[in-house]
Amino acid sequence: MATAARRGPYFCGIDAAMDVVAGKWKSLILWELHHHGIRRFAELRRGLPGVSEKMLIQHLREMEEDGLVHREVYREVPPKVEYSLTEHGVSLNVALASLGEWGTARMGRIGAEKISGDVAATARR
Amino acid sequence: MATAARRGPYFCGIDAAMDVVAGKWKSLILWELHHHGIRRFAELRRGLPGVSEKMLIQHLREMEEDGLVHREVYREVPPKVEYSLTEHGVSLNVALASLGEWGTARMGRIGAEKISGDVAATARR
DNA sequence: CGGCATCCCCCACGATACTG
DNA sequence: CAGTATCGTGGGGGATGCCG
């Protein structure tokens, strides 16, 4: 069963926000959806090298439950499902922007490498 | 041995930032140190109800290794150790501010409760 | 006071296989 | 294509006890 966020009680706002973003891939899913607007399941998979099918769907479901992601199902053959950010999800991404800049600066500071596009999934421990 | 951040490679800045903040209490430690400036070990413990001694010291060491926290040891009897944020740690906290506001807003949205205590009580705007 | 050492548990996460 | 189902595991994290 998907657990999603524990929904409190929290120590403070950061605690509540981290709860929703906790999970190995959630912030990356946010990032991916933010930059592409709408993405199909397979597109998301390709955008997140190394993610397993199971974790991707699980995180997506939890984020949907938390009101961050919208899931649109098209009853066709072959199946087609589109994921996008809700208003709430967009606002979270905006709030994450400054953190992203900090992280980028830190990467330069410590000389960390960046995973570009479809470079090896194995790069990630 | 403490692992601290994996130090890359990363997908993006958010990835790098989340890596450093990942851990059940790290963001809360940041918050606590930010609002009190300098704190002794026992003070931090009291400010984070529920944290175990082991996790607190482990997270503090990792954050020190990541350059976020400064550890000042006084060779006295009884022992005295003071923790504070480095410049880098302060900048991370600044970057976390907007996320904290988002989380606070979300708490209202979903009707989550707040853990009352030193951390929450000292939060002011 | 401020740690470090140990034991142990749970579950987030991964791998694999199958389905509408 | 977009999922389910199931099993196994690593390590994050809790509890407890000892030490300078």
Side-chain angles (χ1 to χ4, degrees):
Chain A
M1 184 195 74
T3 312
R6 66 174 201 271
R7 296 177 185 278
Y10 300 112
F11 284 95
C12 60
I14 293 180
D15 192 13
M18 292 300 296
D19 186 26
V20 134
V21 175
K24 194 167 177 178
W25 303 93
K26 286 192 181 176
S27 64
L28 267 10
I29 292 173
L30 242 16
W31 183 257
E32 189 74 6
L33 287 178
H34 177 67
H35 283 281
H36 293 91
I38 295 180
R39 298 239 90 178
R40 300 185 55 172
F41 186 80
E43 290 174 334
L44 275 174
R45 256 206 103 173
R46 260 175 270 123
L48 276 4
V51 72
S52 70
E53 230 170 53
K54 172 190 164 186
M55 289 317 300
L56 182 54
I57 190 63
Q58 182 177 310
H59 281 162
L60 282 168
R61 287 283 151 85
E62 292 174 9
M63 291 167 77
E64 187 187 1
E65 193 177 331
D66 289 334
L68 302 175
V69 164
H70 174 69
R71 181 167 177 265
E72 189 74 34
V73 182
Y74 297 85
R75 292 220 155 261
E76 307 172 351
V77 175
K80 176 180 171 185
V81 180
E82 288 180 345
Y83 293 92
S84 57
L85 293 183
T86 62
E87 282 296 315
H88 198 219
V90 170
S91 69
L92 172 55
N93 225 302
V94 171
L96 277 171
S98 58
L99 188 63
E101 289 169 22
W102 184 91
T104 301
R106 180 169 202 275
M107 285 171 65
R109 209 181 109 104
I110 68 177
E113 288 178 16
K114 189 170 185 175
I115 299 176
S116 54
D118 36 27
V119 170
T122 32
R124 230 182 181 222
R125 228 190 354 184
Chain B
M1 187 189 124
T3 313
R6 68 175 200 270
R7 298 176 184 275
Y10 301 112
F11 283 96
C12 61
I14 294 182
D15 193 12
M18 292 299 297
D19 185 25
V20 133
V21 175
K24 194 168 179 179
W25 304 93
K26 286 193 183 176
S27 64
L28 267 10
I29 292 173
L30 241 19
W31 183 258
E32 188 75 5
L33 287 178
H34 177 67
H35 283 282
H36 292 91
I38 297 180
R39 297 238 91 179
R40 298 185 56 173
F41 186 80
E43 290 174 335
L44 275 174
R45 257 206 101 171
R46 263 176 267 123
L48 275 4
V51 73
S52 71
E53 222 171 59
K54 172 190 164 186
M55 288 320 297
L56 184 52
I57 190 64
Q58 182 177 309
H59 281 162
L60 282 169
R61 287 287 150 82
E62 291 173 10
M63 291 167 77
E64 188 189 358
E65 194 176 331
D66 288 335
L68 303 175
V69 164
H70 174 68
R71 181 168 178 264
E72 188 74 36
V73 182
Y74 297 85
R75 292 221 157 261
E76 305 172 355
V77 177
K80 177 180 170 184
V81 179
E82 288 181 345
Y83 292 94
S84 58
L85 292 184
T86 62
E87 282 295 315
H88 198 219
V90 170
S91 70
L92 172 55
N93 224 301
V94 170
L96 276 170
S98 59
L99 187 63
E101 288 169 22
W102 184 91
T104 301
R106 180 169 202 271
M107 285 171 65
R109 209 180 109 104
I110 67 177
E113 289 179 14
K114 192 169 186 177
I115 297 176
S116 56
D118 202 19
V119 178
T122 328
R124 63 203 148 172
R125 22 189 26 133

